[in-house]
Amino acid sequence: MLYKSTRGRGDTVTASQAIVKGIAEDGGLYVPQEIPKIDSTLESLGEMNYRELAFYIMKKYFDDFSDEELRQCVEGAYDEKFEDPLIAPLNYKAGVHFLELYHGKTLAFKDMALSILPYLMKTAAKKAGISKEIVILTATSGDTGKAALEGFDSVEGTRIIVFYPKDGVSEIQRVQMAVQEGRNTFVVGIDGNFDDAQSGVKEIFADEEFNRLLLENGFMFSSANSINIGRLVPQIVYYVYTYAQLLKAGRIASGENINVVVPTGNFGNILAAYYAKCMGIPIGRLICASNKNKVLADFMNTGVYDRRREFYVTNSPSMDILISSNLERFLYELSGRSEEVVSGLMEKLKKEGVYEINDEMKERLKLVYGGFADEAETIDAIKEVYEGFGYVMDTHTAVAYVVNKKYKEETGDIRAAVIASTASPFKFPKSINEALHFADSDADEFEMVQELSKKMNLRIPKGIQDLDKKEIRHKTTCGKDEMRDVIRKFLGIE
Ligand SMILES: *Cc1c(COP(=O)(O)O)cnc(C)c1O
């Protein structure tokens, strides 16, 4: 299995090389030369536990890993760090199946891939003959940073540096990062917003002189963001797992189509569901749910992607995004795997901020239904599902719930629906409180967590238990122009 760039000009590389590099030289994303097929019956997959299935699926993509290497990666990642022994349990409530992807350490679905990426990267670097220490640079608006820190904590041969906007994350998110353990982890609050952190990191990746300085000192940079194929493939596993488990439980019949509903930001999670479909999982419609930043919903309905619009800060912040990088991999498939078409569209997006796909692609795009929910609809849905069914959704999951409801009303489609639940309600207690009123509205987030637990009779996830009593280990802050100095200091480079 080899990987090539969606834009067609980079080298063809092995899985290991694609994981270590992260992004292709021509700026495109790595895609497998062919999406592999599932070659066992779906019934037999139902007999596998999460780890066994993860091995089975990932082996098809990362075939230059030996069985033993891959098994070690899988077993290191999906262990008792996850509070539910099923890793990705299904919960049938309000007529839909909630696929709970938030039982990892940081309470968001990012843990599903970021708990294995460090193992994959370390193994891949060894296979590619890289002796340098890998330095992961990440800019975060909240969820990715903490999940990457937990993943790379104490992983030999790696260091991780996370930059976050000092005043731009929630209290819980900030403290989660500031108390991070691990001698190889570094967290820095920058004076600026998320875009400043993000563009600072991008500039450093592209700074040849600085990269040379690192190499001379025994280091190389890599990335843990969702364009890395090492993050996409682990996400395919839970869609296959879900189908096999539904089948096993008799909730669906053999071969029956299900719909998959995904609250979407960077288009990584829903793309993994599409890959699962290509591999042979019977998926009917993919339902792409956006918040008020509905650039994707508009695209699904018109075939026009237009980022020239106002950016909104919403109560589902992990979906506040106007450029969905993983959409590029989907465009590649929609165009019949045409590098020319993808390069052209990406060029237009960069230059003009807008592009339109051709009629043939529009026809194929009908596979995806796009819809959106505003903040009030999101809050109402949390209330409705709690009052009707005693189940507490987080804001991102609630966006998906609303869009699925609109979809059903519009189409009358009654197929079984699986909603990707991407975060624990404990991560966004302020918004949940707006819907359910379990605490004083002026209480701080830590008090709200306690009240949410008490009033709703929910156990506080381990990841945030006693968070406010932990030692603050990371206090570094810097200006946006001082990021290089901070990195040198962390790495001990004079
Ligand atoms: C990252 C994130 C999303 C968006 O996922 P994408 O793969 O970027 O589309 C949705 N919900 C939560 C809670 C997230 O952290």
PDB file of all heavy atoms in Angstrom, residues 108-110 143 263-269 318-319 396 422-423, ligand 1:
ATOM      1  N   ALA A 108     -12.758  14.239  24.611  1.00  0.00           N
ATOM      2  CA  ALA A 108     -13.212  14.586  23.261  1.00  0.00           C
ATOM      3  C   ALA A 108     -12.787  13.477  22.301  1.00  0.00           C
ATOM      4  O   ALA A 108     -11.895  12.686  22.610  1.00  0.00           O
ATOM      5  CB  ALA A 108     -12.631  15.922  22.812  1.00  0.00           C
ATOM      6  N   PHE A 109     -13.420  13.431  21.130  1.00  0.00           N
ATOM      7  CA  PHE A 109     -13.148  12.306  20.220  1.00  0.00           C
ATOM      8  C   PHE A 109     -11.732  12.334  19.663  1.00  0.00           C
ATOM      9  O   PHE A 109     -11.261  11.343  19.112  1.00  0.00           O
ATOM     10  CB  PHE A 109     -14.184  12.279  19.083  1.00  0.00           C
ATOM     11  CG  PHE A 109     -13.739  12.946  17.813  1.00  0.00           C
ATOM     12  CD1 PHE A 109     -13.234  12.194  16.763  1.00  0.00           C
ATOM     13  CD2 PHE A 109     -13.807  14.315  17.661  1.00  0.00           C
ATOM     14  CE1 PHE A 109     -12.811  12.804  15.587  1.00  0.00           C
ATOM     15  CE2 PHE A 109     -13.384  14.927  16.503  1.00  0.00           C
ATOM     16  CZ  PHE A 109     -12.885  14.169  15.460  1.00  0.00           C
ATOM     17  N   LYS A 110     -11.031  13.455  19.824  1.00  0.00           N
ATOM     18  CA  LYS A 110      -9.646  13.541  19.367  1.00  0.00           C
ATOM     19  C   LYS A 110      -8.776  12.439  19.986  1.00  0.00           C
ATOM     20  O   LYS A 110      -7.786  12.027  19.415  1.00  0.00           O
ATOM     21  CB  LYS A 110      -9.044  14.907  19.723  1.00  0.00           C
ATOM     22  CG  LYS A 110      -9.812  16.115  19.208  1.00  0.00           C
ATOM     23  CD  LYS A 110      -9.666  16.286  17.717  1.00  0.00           C
ATOM     24  CE  LYS A 110     -10.119  17.657  17.216  1.00  0.00           C
ATOM     25  NZ  LYS A 110     -11.561  17.940  17.375  1.00  0.00           N
ATOM     26  N   ASP A 143      -9.250  21.486  22.121  1.00  0.00           N
ATOM     27  CA  ASP A 143      -9.320  20.028  22.231  1.00  0.00           C
ATOM     28  C   ASP A 143      -8.078  19.296  21.704  1.00  0.00           C
ATOM     29  O   ASP A 143      -7.579  18.367  22.325  1.00  0.00           O
ATOM     30  CB  ASP A 143     -10.557  19.490  21.491  1.00  0.00           C
ATOM     31  CG  ASP A 143     -11.845  19.810  22.231  1.00  0.00           C
ATOM     32  OD1 ASP A 143     -11.773  20.099  23.443  1.00  0.00           O
ATOM     33  OD2 ASP A 143     -12.912  19.759  21.603  1.00  0.00           O
ATOM     34  N   PRO A 263     -20.984  15.749  13.585  1.00  0.00           N
ATOM     35  CA  PRO A 263     -20.763  17.187  13.775  1.00  0.00           C
ATOM     36  C   PRO A 263     -19.381  17.533  13.237  1.00  0.00           C
ATOM     37  O   PRO A 263     -18.376  16.986  13.687  1.00  0.00           O
ATOM     38  CB  PRO A 263     -20.824  17.360  15.298  1.00  0.00           C
ATOM     39  CG  PRO A 263     -20.504  16.021  15.873  1.00  0.00           C
ATOM     40  CD  PRO A 263     -20.897  14.991  14.851  1.00  0.00           C
ATOM     41  N   THR A 264     -19.341  18.419  12.257  1.00  0.00           N
ATOM     42  CA  THR A 264     -18.135  18.523  11.439  1.00  0.00           C
ATOM     43  C   THR A 264     -17.435  19.876  11.526  1.00  0.00           C
ATOM     44  O   THR A 264     -18.085  20.922  11.556  1.00  0.00           O
ATOM     45  CB  THR A 264     -18.510  18.208   9.976  1.00  0.00           C
ATOM     46  OG1 THR A 264     -18.975  16.861   9.922  1.00  0.00           O
ATOM     47  CG2 THR A 264     -17.331  18.352   9.047  1.00  0.00           C
ATOM     48  N   GLY A 265     -16.103  19.819  11.569  1.00  0.00           N
ATOM     49  CA  GLY A 265     -15.287  21.029  11.544  1.00  0.00           C
ATOM     50  C   GLY A 265     -14.298  20.934  10.401  1.00  0.00           C
ATOM     51  O   GLY A 265     -14.475  21.487   9.322  1.00  0.00           O
ATOM     52  N   ASN A 266     -13.264  20.153  10.626  1.00  0.00           N
ATOM     53  CA  ASN A 266     -12.193  20.013   9.640  1.00  0.00           C
ATOM     54  C   ASN A 266     -12.461  18.891   8.632  1.00  0.00           C
ATOM     55  O   ASN A 266     -11.623  18.578   7.811  1.00  0.00           O
ATOM     56  CB  ASN A 266     -10.880  19.748  10.378  1.00  0.00           C
ATOM     57  CG  ASN A 266      -9.734  20.529   9.792  1.00  0.00           C
ATOM     58  OD1 ASN A 266      -9.908  21.286   8.842  1.00  0.00           O
ATOM     59  ND2 ASN A 266      -8.555  20.322  10.324  1.00  0.00           N
ATOM     60  N   PHE A 267     -13.591  18.236   8.721  1.00  0.00           N
ATOM     61  CA  PHE A 267     -14.045  17.175   7.819  1.00  0.00           C
ATOM     62  C   PHE A 267     -13.260  15.868   7.974  1.00  0.00           C
ATOM     63  O   PHE A 267     -13.317  14.983   7.135  1.00  0.00           O
ATOM     64  CB  PHE A 267     -13.988  17.634   6.340  1.00  0.00           C
ATOM     65  CG  PHE A 267     -15.026  16.976   5.458  1.00  0.00           C
ATOM     66  CD1 PHE A 267     -16.343  17.383   5.506  1.00  0.00           C
ATOM     67  CD2 PHE A 267     -14.688  15.943   4.595  1.00  0.00           C
ATOM     68  CE1 PHE A 267     -17.306  16.775   4.702  1.00  0.00           C
ATOM     69  CE2 PHE A 267     -15.651  15.333   3.788  1.00  0.00           C
ATOM     70  CZ  PHE A 267     -16.955  15.749   3.841  1.00  0.00           C
ATOM     71  N   GLY A 268     -12.547  15.723   9.084  1.00  0.00           N
ATOM     72  CA  GLY A 268     -11.770  14.494   9.274  1.00  0.00           C
ATOM     73  C   GLY A 268     -12.639  13.323   9.714  1.00  0.00           C
ATOM     74  O   GLY A 268     -12.538  12.221   9.166  1.00  0.00           O
ATOM     75  N   ASN A 269     -13.490  13.568  10.688  1.00  0.00           N
ATOM     76  CA  ASN A 269     -14.295  12.498  11.260  1.00  0.00           C
ATOM     77  C   ASN A 269     -15.280  11.931  10.239  1.00  0.00           C
ATOM     78  O   ASN A 269     -15.408  10.708  10.078  1.00  0.00           O
ATOM     79  CB  ASN A 269     -15.037  13.067  12.483  1.00  0.00           C
ATOM     80  CG  ASN A 269     -15.472  11.996  13.459  1.00  0.00           C
ATOM     81  OD1 ASN A 269     -15.193  10.804  13.269  1.00  0.00           O
ATOM     82  ND2 ASN A 269     -16.170  12.407  14.492  1.00  0.00           N
ATOM     83  N   SER A 318     -15.380  23.756  18.793  1.00  0.00           N
ATOM     84  CA  SER A 318     -14.484  22.883  18.027  1.00  0.00           C
ATOM     85  C   SER A 318     -14.917  22.741  16.577  1.00  0.00           C
ATOM     86  O   SER A 318     -14.243  22.099  15.778  1.00  0.00           O
ATOM     87  CB  SER A 318     -14.398  21.503  18.677  1.00  0.00           C
ATOM     88  OG  SER A 318     -14.028  21.642  20.031  1.00  0.00           O
ATOM     89  N   MET A 319     -16.060  23.316  16.243  1.00  0.00           N
ATOM     90  CA  MET A 319     -16.528  23.303  14.853  1.00  0.00           C
ATOM     91  C   MET A 319     -16.495  24.702  14.249  1.00  0.00           C
ATOM     92  O   MET A 319     -17.010  24.911  13.146  1.00  0.00           O
ATOM     93  CB  MET A 319     -17.962  22.765  14.801  1.00  0.00           C
ATOM     94  CG  MET A 319     -18.072  21.336  15.259  1.00  0.00           C
ATOM     95  SD  MET A 319     -19.745  20.921  15.794  1.00  0.00           S
ATOM     96  CE  MET A 319     -20.606  20.974  14.225  1.00  0.00           C
ATOM     97  N   HIS A 396     -21.714  19.877  20.691  1.00  0.00           N
ATOM     98  CA  HIS A 396     -21.359  19.423  19.336  1.00  0.00           C
ATOM     99  C   HIS A 396     -22.279  18.282  18.905  1.00  0.00           C
ATOM    100  O   HIS A 396     -22.789  18.259  17.779  1.00  0.00           O
ATOM    101  CB  HIS A 396     -19.897  18.994  19.300  1.00  0.00           C
ATOM    102  CG  HIS A 396     -18.955  20.076  19.729  1.00  0.00           C
ATOM    103  ND1 HIS A 396     -18.797  20.411  21.055  1.00  0.00           N
ATOM    104  CD2 HIS A 396     -18.161  20.914  19.033  1.00  0.00           C
ATOM    105  CE1 HIS A 396     -17.930  21.414  21.146  1.00  0.00           C
ATOM    106  NE2 HIS A 396     -17.524  21.741  19.923  1.00  0.00           N
ATOM    107  N   THR A 422     -19.102  13.615  19.953  1.00  0.00           N
ATOM    108  CA  THR A 422     -17.686  13.943  19.909  1.00  0.00           C
ATOM    109  C   THR A 422     -17.106  14.502  21.197  1.00  0.00           C
ATOM    110  O   THR A 422     -15.896  14.619  21.314  1.00  0.00           O
ATOM    111  CB  THR A 422     -17.405  14.935  18.761  1.00  0.00           C
ATOM    112  OG1 THR A 422     -18.331  16.019  18.862  1.00  0.00           O
ATOM    113  CG2 THR A 422     -17.563  14.259  17.411  1.00  0.00           C
ATOM    114  N   ALA A 423     -17.940  14.867  22.154  1.00  0.00           N
ATOM    115  CA  ALA A 423     -17.370  15.374  23.405  1.00  0.00           C
ATOM    116  C   ALA A 423     -18.284  15.055  24.578  1.00  0.00           C
ATOM    117  O   ALA A 423     -19.499  14.879  24.418  1.00  0.00           O
ATOM    118  CB  ALA A 423     -17.135  16.884  23.332  1.00  0.00           C
TER     119      ALA A 423
HETATM  120  C1  LIG B   1     -12.583  18.356  16.489  1.00  0.00           C
HETATM  121  C2  LIG B   1     -13.982  18.273  16.928  1.00  0.00           C
HETATM  122  C3  LIG B   1     -15.050  18.211  15.994  1.00  0.00           C
HETATM  123  C4  LIG B   1     -14.837  18.317  14.501  1.00  0.00           C
HETATM  124  O1  LIG B   1     -14.229  17.172  13.954  1.00  0.00           O
HETATM  125  P1  LIG B   1     -13.567  17.227  12.507  1.00  0.00           P
HETATM  126  O2  LIG B   1     -12.915  15.911  12.323  1.00  0.00           O
HETATM  127  O3  LIG B   1     -12.584  18.357  12.551  1.00  0.00           O
HETATM  128  O4  LIG B   1     -14.662  17.479  11.516  1.00  0.00           O
HETATM  129  C5  LIG B   1     -16.347  18.062  16.480  1.00  0.00           C
HETATM  130  N1  LIG B   1     -16.579  18.005  17.824  1.00  0.00           N
HETATM  131  C6  LIG B   1     -15.582  18.067  18.723  1.00  0.00           C
HETATM  132  C7  LIG B   1     -15.929  18.018  20.166  1.00  0.00           C
HETATM  133  C8  LIG B   1     -14.245  18.193  18.324  1.00  0.00           C
HETATM  134  O5  LIG B   1     -13.260  18.267  19.252  1.00  0.00           O
END
